[in-house]
Coordinates of all heavy atoms in Angstrom, one line a residue:
I6 N 0.9 -1.1 0.0 CA 0.0 0.0 -0.1 C 0.9 1.2 -0.1 O 1.7 1.5 0.9 CB -0.9 0.1 1.2 CG1 -1.9 -1.1 1.1 CG2 -1.7 1.4 1.2 CD1 -2.7 -1.4 2.4
R7 N 0.6 2.0 -1.0 CA 1.7 3.3 -1.1 C 0.9 4.5 -0.6 O -0.3 4.8 -0.9 CB 1.8 3.5 -2.7 CG 2.7 4.6 -2.9 CD 3.0 4.5 -4.6 NE 1.8 4.6 -5.4 CZ 1.4 5.7 -5.9 NH1 1.9 6.9 -5.6 NH2 0.2 5.6 -6.7
E8 N 1.7 5.3 0.1 CA 1.3 6.6 0.5 C 2.1 7.5 -0.2 O 3.2 7.8 0.2 CB 1.4 6.8 2.0 CG 0.5 6.1 2.9 CD 0.4 6.4 4.3 OE1 1.2 7.6 4.6 OE2 -0.3 5.8 5.1
P9 N 1.6 8.2 -1.3 CA 2.4 9.0 -2.3 C 3.3 9.9 -1.6 O 2.7 10.9 -0.9 CB 1.3 9.5 -3.3 CG 0.3 8.5 -3.2 CD 0.1 8.0 -1.8
G10 N 4.5 9.9 -1.8 CA 5.4 10.9 -1.1 C 5.8 10.6 0.3 O 6.5 11.4 0.9
G11 N 5.1 9.6 0.8 CA 5.3 9.3 2.2 C 5.9 8.0 2.5 O 6.7 7.8 3.6
G12 N 5.7 7.1 1.7 CA 6.3 5.6 2.0 C 5.2 4.6 1.6 O 4.3 4.8 0.9
F13 N 5.7 3.4 2.1 CA 4.7 2.2 1.7 C 4.6 1.4 2.9 O 5.3 1.2 3.6 CB 5.2 1.4 0.6 CG 6.5 0.8 0.6 CD1 6.6 -0.5 1.1 CD2 7.8 1.5 0.5 CE1 7.8 -1.2 1.4 CE2 9.0 0.7 0.7 CZ 9.0 -0.6 1.1
H14 N 3.4 0.6 3.0 CA 3.1 -0.4 4.0 C 3.2 -1.7 3.3 O 2.9 -2.0 2.0 CB 1.7 -0.2 4.4 CG 1.5 1.0 5.0 ND1 1.8 1.5 6.2 CD2 0.7 2.2 4.6 CE1 1.4 2.7 6.5 NE2 0.8 3.3 5.4
L15 N 3.8 -2.7 3.8 CA 4.2 -4.0 3.3 C 3.4 -5.1 4.2 O 3.6 -5.1 5.3 CB 5.7 -4.3 3.3 CG 6.1 -5.7 2.8 CD1 5.8 -5.8 1.3 CD2 7.5 -5.9 3.1
I16 N 2.6 -5.8 3.5 CA 1.8 -7.0 4.1 C 2.2 -8.2 3.5 O 2.2 -8.5 2.3 CB 0.4 -6.7 3.8 CG1 -0.1 -5.3 4.2 CG2 -0.5 -7.8 4.7 CD1 -1.5 -4.9 3.9
C17 N 2.9 -9.1 4.4 CA 3.5 -10.3 3.9 C 2.8 -11.7 4.4 O 2.1 -11.5 5.4 CB 5.0 -10.5 4.7 SG 6.0 -9.1 4.1
G18 N 2.8 -12.7 3.6 CA 2.1 -13.8 3.9 C 3.1 -14.8 4.8 O 3.0 -14.9 5.9
C19 N 4.1 -15.3 4.0 CA 5.1 -16.1 4.7 C 6.5 -15.6 4.4 O 7.5 -15.9 4.9 CB 5.0 -17.6 4.1 SG 4.4 -18.8 5.3
C20 N 6.6 -14.6 3.3 CA 7.9 -14.0 3.0 C 9.0 -15.0 2.7 O 10.2 -15.0 2.9 CB 8.4 -13.2 4.2 SG 9.0 -11.6 3.6
H21 N 8.6 -16.1 1.8 CA 9.7 -17.3 1.4 C 10.5 -16.6 0.7 O 11.6 -17.2 0.3 CB 8.8 -18.3 0.8 CG 8.1 -19.3 1.7 ND1 8.7 -20.0 2.7 CD2 6.8 -19.6 1.9 CE1 7.9 -20.7 3.4 NE2 6.6 -20.5 2.9
S22 N 10.3 -15.4 0.0 CA 11.4 -14.7 -0.9 C 12.4 -14.2 0.0 O 13.5 -13.8 -0.5 CB 10.7 -13.6 -1.8 OG 9.7 -14.1 -2.6
G23 N 12.3 -14.0 1.2 CA 13.1 -13.3 2.1 C 12.5 -11.8 2.3 O 12.2 -11.2 1.4
L24 N 12.6 -11.4 3.5 CA 12.1 -10.0 3.9 C 12.9 -8.9 3.3 O 12.2 -8.1 2.6 CB 12.1 -9.8 5.3 CG 11.6 -8.4 5.8 CD1 10.2 -8.1 5.4 CD2 11.7 -8.2 7.4
L25 N 14.1 -9.0 3.2 CA 14.9 -7.9 2.4 C 14.7 -7.9 0.9 O 14.5 -6.9 0.3 CB 16.4 -8.3 2.7 CG 16.7 -8.2 4.2 CD1 18.3 -8.5 4.4 CD2 16.4 -6.9 4.9
N26 N 14.5 -9.1 0.4 CA 14.3 -9.1 -1.2 C 12.7 -8.6 -1.4 O 12.7 -8.0 -2.3 CB 14.3 -10.7 -1.6 CG 15.7 -11.1 -1.6 OD1 16.6 -10.6 -1.9 ND2 15.8 -12.5 -1.3
T27 N 11.8 -8.9 -0.5 CA 10.6 -8.4 -0.6 C 10.5 -6.9 -0.5 O 9.7 -6.3 -1.1 CB 9.6 -9.2 0.5 OG1 9.7 -10.6 0.2 CG2 8.1 -8.7 0.2
L28 N 11.2 -6.4 0.5 CA 11.3 -5.0 0.8 C 11.9 -4.2 -0.5 O 11.3 -3.3 -0.8 CB 12.1 -4.5 1.9 CG 11.4 -4.8 3.4 CD1 12.5 -4.6 4.4 CD2 10.4 -3.6 3.4
T29 N 12.9 -4.9 -1.0 CA 13.5 -4.2 -2.4 C 12.6 -4.2 -3.4 O 12.4 -3.2 -4.0 CB 14.8 -5.0 -2.7 OG1 15.6 -5.0 -1.6 CG2 15.5 -4.4 -3.9
H30 N 11.8 -5.4 -3.6 CA 10.7 -5.5 -4.6 C 9.7 -4.3 -4.4 O 9.3 -3.7 -5.2 CB 10.2 -6.8 -4.8 CG 9.4 -7.0 -6.0 ND1 9.7 -7.6 -7.1 CD2 8.1 -6.5 -6.1 CE1 8.7 -7.6 -8.0 NE2 7.6 -7.0 -7.4
A31 N 9.3 -4.4 -3.3 CA 8.0 -3.3 -2.8 C 8.5 -2.0 -3.0 O 7.6 -1.2 -3.7 CB 7.6 -3.7 -1.4

């Protein structure tokens, strides 16, 4: 969920991709 100009919220299921990889993608 994007807050334009403010940042983003990340909602994960199991994060099998890895949290850091998921954050980078998000």
Side-chain angles (χ1 to χ4, degrees):
I6 296 174
R7 179 171 61 93
E8 290 193 7
F13 67 92
H14 305 279
L15 179 65
I16 307 170
C17 303
C19 249
C20 228
H21 286 296
S22 300
L24 177 57
L25 303 178
N26 291 326
T27 304
L28 280 168
T29 302
H30 185 106

